[in-house]
Amino acid sequence: MIYQCGACGKTTFEKCCSSEKRGDDGWGGSEAVAALIPLDPSFYPEFQYQSKGLLRDLLGKKREQASLNDILNSVLRKYSELKQPYFTNFIHANKSMDGAGESESPPGARVDGVYSDRELFREVLIRKGFTELEGIPVLLDKLLKTTYFNSVYSGFSRELSRHIKPRLSDTLASWIEEAGTTFRSDLALFFYFVWENDCGYEGVEFNKDAESSVGVPLLSKQALDGFMKLCEKIYFDLLVNRMSAQLENFNPNKFVTMYLVDAMDGFQFEAFLVEIFQTIGYDVKETKKTGDQGADLFVSRFGKNIVIQAKNYSGVVGNSAVQQAISAKTFYGCDEAMVVTNSYYSKSAKELALSAGVRLVDRAELQSYLDDYNQKMIEGFYEEDSMEFELD
C-alpha cells in the first residue's frame, strides 16, 4: 500500500519510483521496481506466491500460498511481540539505516570473527524464536525499514495533525508553510495520514482495494500528480506573499546580520541560538553556564532530543568542539549531537564528526537559519501591522 525507494528514500504509492533512472523503454527496468520495499510486512514479495507456470499454478498454488500465509502470520505475530523493545530500540541505538543487505550472510559464527551490529541483532532475534530469519535473511532489513518508517511517520503525524483544517486546500497551505519544500518528498505521507485518519476531503478518492491488494496504489499517479500541482501553486503563492511582506515591511534595524552575530560573545551567541531554533520550530532548553558537560543547548523535534555545542569563533573550529558534542550526547543520553558555529570546521573536525554521526552547522548553514529567522520576523511585523489596521 505504501512503498519506500531503497535508492532515494522517497515514499510512494506506486511500485516503481518516478525518481529512479528510467530504462531504455522509458518506463524503468526491473531494478527500479525491486528497489521499492513495501512498508507493511503483509505486502513483502517473499509472502506472495510467484507463478511457476500454468500447470504448477493449478496444482500447487493454493497449497503454497497457504504455507506462505502461515509463515506471514507467524512473522507478524513475532514482529508485534518483539517490536518493543527489540526492533525499536535497535533503530534508536543505530541511527543510520545504511548497511542493508548485511543480514543476507549466513547466520552464526564465522572463521573471520567479524560481525556487524545487524548480524548480532539477527542472532538475538533467532534465539528469541524468530526462526524465519534463517530461511529469509533479507527479512530483517525489511522489518527494520518498516520499524524506522513507523517511527518517522509517528513524528510526522503529530506535526501534521496541527495543520488539519476542514478544507484540503487550507490544510495543504498550513502544512506547506511550515514544511517548506519537503512537501515534494512527503506528499504520499500526507495522503497516507489523510486516509488513515479518514479526513473525508472532497475530491480525494482512495482506492478501496489498496489495503488488501498487492500493487494497487492508494491514490493513482494521475491524482497524486494533480495534488502536486496544487501544492506547487500554494507554495508559489506563499513565496510571492512573503516577498510582498518583505518589501512592504523591510526594516534594516530589525534584521540580524552575520556581522552582528560575529560581534556577540559566547553567552550572547547561545542566547541568540535559542531564538533561532525556537523560530524554526524546535523546543529549546538552555543548560546552566558551568559544568554543562559540553552541552550549551538541548533542542527537540519529532520526538528526537538533540544536544548542541555552540562555538562563536573567529578562527577555524577543530576537533575539540566535536569531541565535546560527542561526550555531551553520551552523558545526557541524547539521540543526536550538533555543533553550530559562525565560522568553519577543520578537515579533521569534519572527519571526526562524520565518523561519530555529529551534525556540523557552519557559517553558510547558519546564514540560512538567519534568513529563516529574519523572514519570520518580517511576517511577525506584517501580522502586527495588519492587526493594528483592523483595530483602527
Side-chain angles (χ1 to χ4, degrees), residues 1-3 12-15 43 149 153 187-198 203-224 227:
M1 118 112 54
I2 190 164
Y3 300 83
T12 175
F13 297 132
E14 302 289 332
K15 290 188 70 177
F43 289 75
F149 167 77
Y153 177 68
L187 190 58
L189 283 184
F190 175 91
F191 281 105
Y192 189 77
F193 177 93
V194 169
W195 167 79
E196 187 179 58
N197 291 274
D198 195 21
V204 182
E205 296 183 4
F206 294 110
N207 195 321
K208 296 179 181 179
D209 297 328
E211 190 173 8
S212 57
S213 303
V214 175
V216 176
L218 191 61
L219 271 177
S220 69
K221 187 177 185 302
Q222 182 180 5
L224 204 59
F227 288 124

Side-chain angles (χ1 to χ4, degrees), residues 173-181 234-250 255 279 371-380 382-383:
S174 178
W175 172 54
I176 291 171
E177 184 172 13
E178 181 175 288
T181 56
I234 290 172
Y235 183 63
F236 177 74
D237 291 341
L238 177 65
L239 293 179
V240 171
N241 291 335
R242 283 180 176 175
M243 173 64 75
S244 176
Q246 181 175 347
L247 296 175
E248 291 173 10
N249 300 276
F250 181 77
F255 265 55
T279 300
D371 293 341
D372 288 342
Y373 174 82
N374 286 326
Q375 182 60 48
K376 292 291 184 182
M377 294 301 102
I378 292 171
E379 293 170 0
Y382 177 72
E383 290 173 4

